[in-house]
Amino acid sequence: MIVSTEEELAGLKAIGRLCAQAVDAMGKALEPGITTLELDRIGRRILEDAGAQSAPEFCYQFPGATCISVNEEVAHGIPGARVIAAGDLVNIDVSAVKDGFFGDTGSSFAVPPVKREIEKLVRDGRRALWTGLQQVKTGRPIANIGNAIGAFAKKNRYTLITNLASHGVGRSLHEEPTEVSTWPDPDETRHMEEGLVFTIEPFLSLGGTWAEDAGNGDPWTLYSDPKAPTVQFEHTFVVTRNGPLILTLAD
């Protein structure tokens, strides 16, 4: 999607803010003893009370309003009876649609007390996202994003999951530009257009390089290979001459 009117921008801002507010509320509710289904209900209520609908449900019939991935799960975890415990690493990913506009955002949270390396991983996962966002500006190569995040990961001795990419979003949940790598990709030759809407969502890991299902009959939940703690942070934004206009901020 290329934003061309103030009305389009207003619609994107509204759904982006709502997704961010859901992630924020769910993160604040995280505590030992709460189930992932109870967390999901918090997110669902925020979306539906504002007239929005879960994008995974709307687009893919996902069995939950939000994706909640715990510890060994990297992405697309199904909300259910799993009980959150102290020390857990939890990723919350919220995408939704309202008035024909889509937003998508996510954050990872560590439930105290956690090991120092997990605290650092969460901190650096957010830093990796902002490292990518700093590369966003009209006319620049899209490859700059993956190159910068890759250099950050290498410098800080992390790995990146290299089959879960960022993507265009706006009038649908996944659209052009498709498969925006958050790792160095020599085949990436596209450039950022003024008004282009897409996400950046690096998956920073303590050893994982791939995401795959467990072959256990669950077609949704993805796990890191090799098995390792992994975090994801994501924003939706509009490309401008002044840098990224971030749409998925709670305030």
Side-chain angles (χ1 to χ4, degrees):
M1 179 179 179
I2 303 291
V3 175
S4 58
T5 69
E6 287 298 321
E7 289 75 18
E8 288 177 338
L9 183 58
L12 289 167
K13 284 181 175 179
I15 190 59
R17 185 182 308 112
L18 192 59
C19 290
Q21 288 169 345
V23 170
D24 186 56
M26 293 167 71
K28 288 176 179 175
L30 261 179
E31 62 180 7
I34 194 170
T35 68
T36 55
L37 181 57
E38 288 170 328
L39 279 177
D40 185 66
R41 286 172 175 161
I42 293 170
R44 179 185 296 280
R45 184 172 63 250
I46 289 171
L47 297 178
E48 293 182 353
D49 284 354
Q53 186 173 353
S54 160
E57 283 186 338
F58 179 78
C59 297
Y60 303 116
Q61 294 76 55
F62 179 76
T66 67
C67 298
I68 305 173
S69 308
V70 184
N71 294 337
E72 72 280 2
E73 302 167 349
V74 174
H76 308 157
I78 301 171
R82 183 166 186 165
V83 178
I84 298 299
D88 280 347
L89 181 61
V90 184
N91 178 260
I92 298 172
D93 194 326
V94 176
S95 53
V97 56
K98 180 180 180 181
D99 299 329
F101 296 101
F102 288 76
D104 193 359
T105 189
S107 292
S108 293
F109 303 86
V111 183
V114 295
K115 295 178 181 178
R116 172 68 183 134
E117 67 174 0
I118 300 300
E119 286 184 354
K120 186 173 181 293
L121 176 64
V122 172
R123 182 198 71 191
D124 287 344
R126 192 179 299 277
R127 290 175 64 199
L129 168 60
W130 285 95
T131 296
L133 286 167
Q134 288 169 1
Q135 305 306 311
V136 173
K137 186 172 285 189
T138 301
R140 285 184 178 174
I142 287 179
N144 286 9
I145 296 168
N147 290 340
I149 295 172
F152 173 87
K154 184 176 181 180
K155 177 182 177 182
N156 292 282
R157 299 183 179 180
Y158 294 107
T159 56
L160 291 160
I161 302 296
T162 55
N163 65 322
L164 291 175
S166 307
H167 55 91
V169 64
R171 286 294 190 179
S172 61
L173 181 56
H174 295 98
E175 59 182 55
E176 294 293 337
T178 59
E179 300 296 316
V180 176
S181 300
T182 54
W183 58 90
D185 180 1
D187 295 324
E188 178 58 80
T189 60
R190 296 170 294 183
H191 287 72
M192 297 178 235
E193 297 180 58
E194 177 79 8
L196 183 64
V197 187
F198 66 105
T199 71
I200 294 178
E201 50 176 310
F203 288 79
L204 196 72
S205 182
L206 289 172
T209 59
W210 200 256
E212 59 185 10
D213 66 51
N216 59 359
D218 172 0
W220 300 103
T221 309
L222 298 176
Y223 302 80
S224 72
D225 182 27
K227 184 178 178 181
T230 303
V231 295
Q232 176 248 28
F233 288 88
E234 175 183 17
H235 273 311
T236 299
F237 58 89
V238 181
V239 176
T240 79
R241 293 178 178 84
N242 297 318
L245 174 58
I246 298 173
L247 301 169
T248 44
L249 297 172
D251 298 322

